[in-house]
Amino acid sequence: MERIMKGQRALLEEVGQSPFCTGCGACVNLCAYHAVHEDHVITLHECDIEQGRCYAYCPRTPTDRDALRKLLFAAEDITPELGAVRGYYIARAADEAKRAGAQHGGTVTALMTLAMKEGIIESAIVADDGPDLLPRGVTINFPEEIARQGKSRFVVSPNVAEFNALAWAGGRKIGIVATPCQTLALAKMRARPVAAHAARIDQLKLVVGLFCGWALSWEKLRTLVLGKGIDPKHIEGMDILPSQYQMLQVYTKQGTVDIPLDEVDPACVREACHYCPDMTAEFADISVGSTRLPEGWDVARGWNQVIVRTPLGEELLALARTKGILEFRGVPEGNLDRLKKASLSKRKTASENLAVLAEKGAAGLFGKPDSPGQPVVSVYGGEAFFQEVLPSLANAVRDRANMTVVVSNAGGRNMMGFTPNPASGVNAVDDRDPHADMTARCEAVGAKVRIRDPFDLEETRAALSRMMKEDGVKVLVLRQSYALSPEKPEKKEYAVSISETLCLGEKCGCNRLCTRVFHCPALVWDQDRKKPRIEEDICTGCGVCSLVCTTGAIVRRQTASA
């Protein structure tokens, strides 16, 4: 099949700055340039690689779906409405406890548990509830733990990002539960457009797909349930009733809350879902969804419809039947035809929506969406604080602005020429002088202040993320001495080295993140070896580079004098 290979710049233009990003996580954990943050995939650094995995694996970059089907499935199994179909069944978990803790019939939970017990997979990637309705992909290594993740919140969990992280570590047989867009991303990986990383993809042994009409935007769903007086922390599950009810049911610790579907769709639907043509996860080994039965919804909600697509899926389902893991019942007349009709309807709607965008031209198709809620963040060096930042802070507080200010506070002299400032505690002739407390002055004008060590990347990121959500004027003070400052301790805290076996150099796929983006003067690129090296005479022993390296090749060890 023909493959179009481009890099991050094209990915951002075609997907990231358009309504098409699904939040699947396929571009995350391949390198350190992308991350998932609160239901959005964000770009942390620019990358100039012309042909990147991020573009190759994204389910929203150009894809010849027909060619991909022919590559991954038997030609005789491929249908025009549903993709590959080797078998179609109505099934449910035989274990009533599994059904009670799962969405509908518990078939997905039963199949993933069986696959792990039989050694087909060693690790299962599933969606975890996460905090505040925001799901996340997690790796499960014990079969009994899978049943704890059986409920849906209808918000996308970036499970492919978790797969990328696990596959990078290597040495596992991996199974994953995925939405239609995620199964397409995994199928594009299985097509091996980047031969050097085929071994990572080969760890993917099983894909169980979920039927999906649409997913919900986390921000919009959260706003909706809060408006209904529902605390997101008390939500235990959700379900969408059959079309005649037009209702989203939210199950809380206090009882069930019914929300009319017209308040959910399209108001809370993720925008990318309007352009998705796949309802039944066509690129999975087995696809599972809710079903309709003649007895009505009270019975149907305890069963699933299942499409088997590959020999592995067929083998797993047969094993589940033989071992009594799944129960089966006859397929009602017309069920498969109705499913085909619904699938074609979604394809038609997606095609029509894309045509509407195309009529608007390139600006409408790929234009950057308005972001009125984008947080405002300003960054300053400590030397600018007293001259520029403090007066502006006072004005911002007076005007009730919402903004976050990040200030570097070395607790000593300025970086430019080591000249003193009011916070240095010395004057221009190096005599001791009253120390001006930067934090106290921020609080005095009415700003909220937090202090963090910038060398603690995880805690600094978490603090900044929390502050951007809060109202008002906030100041994040990053307290650490400048590398060449006279106040810097003479002894190194860490001894830092680069592992020759772990460092892949040009083959890493991170596009020299450690030297091209991180910009530590002690970490340089060795043109002869095509790997980074550490200049020991310049290294101050902060150890931050070890936190930046995506493969763990940069190692830090605490020194005896620290």
Side-chain angles (χ1 to χ4, degrees):
M1 60 178 284
E2 182 182 2
R3 299 184 177 111
I4 302 174
M5 289 287 287
K6 298 180 183 178
Q8 185 204 65
R9 190 174 295 111
L11 179 68
L12 295 179
E13 290 174 356
E14 298 177 20
V15 181
Q17 296 174 355
S18 76
F20 299 143
C21 179
T22 68
C24 70
C27 62
V28 177
N29 291 331
L30 297 171
C31 61
Y33 294 93
H34 300 106
V36 176
H37 178 71
E38 294 188 348
D39 202 29
H40 295 283
V41 174
I42 59 175
T43 301
L44 300 176
H45 308 286
E46 291 185 359
C47 174
D48 59 3
I49 287 179
E50 294 183 358
Q51 296 186 339
R53 291 167 293 165
C54 57
Y55 188 94
Y57 299 159
C58 175
R60 289 298 172 261
T61 54
T63 306
D64 187 338
R65 292 170 181 257
D66 288 336
L68 195 57
R69 290 187 189 97
K70 293 175 182 177
L71 180 68
L72 299 177
F73 302 101
E76 61 271 19
D77 294 334
I78 298 174
T79 68
E81 305 92 351
L82 300 172
V85 179
R86 295 178 73 92
Y88 174 70
Y89 307 91
I90 303 296
R92 69 179 183 183
D95 186 338
E96 190 173 346
K98 276 192 173 64
R99 296 201 301 269
Q103 197 80 2
H104 302 137
T107 300
V108 173
T109 299
L111 289 174
M112 293 298 285
T113 302
L114 177 63
M116 189 175 290
K117 287 182 175 179
E118 293 295 320
I120 297 172
I121 61 174
E122 296 169 324
S123 298
I125 296 173
V126 298
D128 179 70
D129 288 348
D132 204 21
L133 285 181
L134 188 62
R136 58 194 174 193
V138 295
T139 298
I140 303 296
N141 294 314
F142 301 98
E144 59 273 11
E145 294 182 3
I146 295 176
R148 301 173 188 170
Q149 317 296 334
K151 293 291 187 181
S152 174
R153 301 293 188 273
F154 296 99
V155 176
V156 173
S157 172
N159 286 6
V160 187
E162 180 70 9
F163 168 76
N164 288 337
L166 188 60
W168 184 284
R172 305 294 293 174
K173 294 190 289 185
I174 304 171
I176 185 171
V177 178
T179 59
C181 57
Q182 293 170 350
T183 64
L184 177 57
L186 295 166
K188 294 177 77 168
M189 293 181 187
R190 280 175 156 174
R192 301 186 183 186
V194 184
H197 297 96
R200 297 178 193 168
I201 307 307
D202 288 345
Q203 296 173 79
L204 181 61
K205 301 303 181 183
L206 174 67
V207 179
V208 176
L210 303 176
F211 288 15
C212 179
W214 37 251
L216 300 177
S217 159
W218 170 72
E219 295 167 307
K220 295 176 181 178
L221 175 63
R222 186 175 181 277
T223 299
L224 177 66
V225 298
L226 286 172
K228 297 291 182 182
I230 305 171
D231 185 340
K233 297 176 183 177
H234 295 163
I235 294 177
E236 298 179 330
M238 296 183 184
D239 206 353
I240 298 171
L241 304 190
S243 56
Q244 65 265 33
Y245 296 99
Q246 290 294 297
M247 196 71 65
L248 171 70
Q249 284 192 332
V250 180
Y251 309 122
T252 76
K253 295 176 181 178
Q254 290 75 34
T256 300
V257 178
D258 291 337
I259 300 179
L261 204 57
D262 58 9
E263 296 183 30
V264 179
D265 181 14
C268 297
V269 173
R270 192 181 188 96
E271 192 171 2
C273 297
H274 297 302
Y275 310 103
C276 174
D278 186 0
M279 188 186 81
T280 62
E282 295 181 24
F283 292 95
D285 293 295
I286 296 180
S287 299
V288 181
S290 62
T291 190
R292 304 293 179 263
L293 296 174
E295 296 92 329
W297 179 238
D298 287 340
V299 174
R301 70 193 313 163
W303 292 85
N304 295 110
Q305 49 187 337
V306 181
I307 299 175
V308 173
R309 303 187 184 277
T310 65
L312 174 62
E314 197 169 50
E315 176 188 335
L316 181 60
L317 201 73
L319 191 62
R321 186 192 292 269
T322 300
K323 289 182 170 291
I325 302 299
L326 291 181
E327 297 176 350
F328 295 81
R329 59 170 286 168
V331 176
E333 185 177 353
N335 263 38
L336 183 57
D337 289 337
R338 282 189 288 272
L339 182 60
K340 290 179 178 180
K341 183 177 179 180
S343 177
L344 288 177
S345 177
K346 185 173 183 184
R347 288 190 194 179
K348 180 181 177 183
T349 299
S351 179
E352 291 172 349
N353 290 339
L354 285 169
V356 171
L357 276 186
E359 288 176 2
K360 297 178 181 179
L365 190 57
F366 300 126
K368 189 173 182 179
D370 294 332
S371 301
Q374 191 76 14
V376 176
V377 180
S378 300
V379 182
Y380 295 91
E383 54 266 37
F385 176 80
F386 292 96
Q387 293 89 351
E388 301 175 20
V389 180
L390 195 57
S392 300
L393 277 181
N395 289 330
V397 172
R398 180 199 63 195
D399 295 335
R400 297 182 176 84
N402 287 321
M403 63 183 298
T404 304
V405 178
V406 181
V407 181
S408 171
N409 176 18
R413 303 165 190 263
N414 297 334
M415 184 172 62
M416 302 296 290
F418 306 125
T419 55
N421 62 55
S424 302
V426 296
N427 60 22
V429 293
D430 240 14
D431 293 333
R432 300 305 300 176
D433 207 46
H435 171 77
D437 189 333
M438 184 183 293
T439 301
R441 278 156 176 75
C442 292
E443 292 174 337
V445 299
K448 307 171 189 174
V449 182
R450 287 193 179 97
I451 302 171
R452 292 294 184 272
D453 178 356
F455 290 176
D456 186 342
L457 298 186
E458 185 174 347
E459 183 54 36
T460 300
R461 286 173 183 155
L464 183 58
S465 177
R466 289 193 295 269
M467 293 174 79
M468 287 191 297
K469 298 176 194 175
E470 298 171 356
D471 292 332
V473 178
K474 297 87 58 182
V475 179
L476 178 59
V477 178
L478 300 181
R479 186 165 289 171
Q480 186 61 249
S481 298
Y482 294 129
L484 302 179
S485 171
E487 288 80 12
K488 183 77 177 178
E490 293 184 7
K491 300 295 184 180
K492 295 182 180 181
E493 183 176 0
Y494 295 101
V496 184
S497 60
I498 298 176
S499 168
E500 288 295 323
T501 55
L502 292 178
C503 181
L504 303 177
E506 292 280 19
K507 298 178 181 179
C508 175
C510 73
N511 193 19
R512 301 184 187 178
L513 174 75
C514 53
T515 58
R516 192 182 66 86
V517 175
F518 186 52
H519 284 314
C520 174
L523 194 59
V524 298
W525 188 259
D526 190 320
Q527 292 290 353
D528 295 329
R529 296 170 57 252
K530 303 298 182 185
K531 289 186 176 185
R533 73 168 187 269
I534 295 173
E535 297 283 6
E536 294 293 343
D537 293 340
I538 302 176
C539 177
T540 64
C542 70
V544 177
C545 57
S546 68
L547 306 177
V548 173
C549 179
T550 59
T551 63
I554 302 179
V555 181
R556 69 179 189 182
R557 293 182 298 277
Q558 198 155 30
T559 61
S561 58

